[in-house]
């Protein structure tokens, strides 16, 4: 099982309708290989619908990403 370094970033984007679109991105670094993956893990679209992008992550990585996101969101 690989070790990962996960950094979470929140982006706020203004949409055509005047609403704000929220995106949560994860920068995931595999510490064994040095490979970096940027992944959109969660977003709220212009219509206020929430989307989860974590289901297509490897199972062993989902919990790590979710925990990193929860920890970072406490600072926002």
């Amino acid at each position: 099982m690989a070790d990962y370094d996960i950094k979470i970033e929140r982006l706020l984007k203004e949409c055509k309708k005047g609403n704000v679109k929220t995106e949560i991105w994860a920068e995931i670094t595999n510490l064994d290989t040095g490979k970096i993956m940027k992944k959109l893990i969660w977003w709220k679209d212009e219509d206020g619908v929430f989307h989860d992008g974590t289901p297509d992550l490897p199972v062993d990585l989902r919990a790590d990403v979710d925990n990193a996101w929860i920890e970072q969101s406490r600072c926002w």
Side-chain angles (χ1 to χ4, degrees), residues 7-37:
K7 296 178 183 157
I8 304 294
E9 182 179 357
R10 177 179 63 169
L11 297 175
L12 302 175
K13 297 181 177 180
E14 190 169 336
C15 300
K16 295 177 185 176
K17 297 179 182 180
N19 298 337
V20 175
K21 179 180 176 182
T22 303
E23 294 181 348
I24 307 296
W25 286 84
E27 181 178 286
I28 305 163
T29 304
N30 182 318
L31 298 177
D32 294 337
T33 65
K35 183 178 176 184
I36 298 173
M37 173 177 44

Side-chain angles (χ1 to χ4, degrees), residues 12-72:
L12 302 175
K13 297 181 177 180
E14 190 169 336
C15 300
K16 295 177 185 176
K17 297 179 182 180
N19 298 337
V20 175
K21 179 180 176 182
T22 303
E23 294 181 348
I24 307 296
W25 286 84
E27 181 178 286
I28 305 163
T29 304
N30 182 318
L31 298 177
D32 294 337
T33 65
K35 183 178 176 184
I36 298 173
M37 173 177 44
K38 289 195 128 202
K39 176 73 179 150
L40 179 60
I41 60 168
W42 180 90
W43 66 99
K44 179 180 170 187
D45 66 20
E46 308 81 39
D47 298 320
V49 178
F50 295 96
H51 303 272
D52 181 3
T54 60
D56 60 340
L57 287 173
V59 174
D60 64 325
L61 189 52
R62 277 187 226 153
D64 292 341
V65 169
D66 285 341
N67 287 337
W69 174 23
I70 291 166
E71 288 300 317
Q72 181 62 41

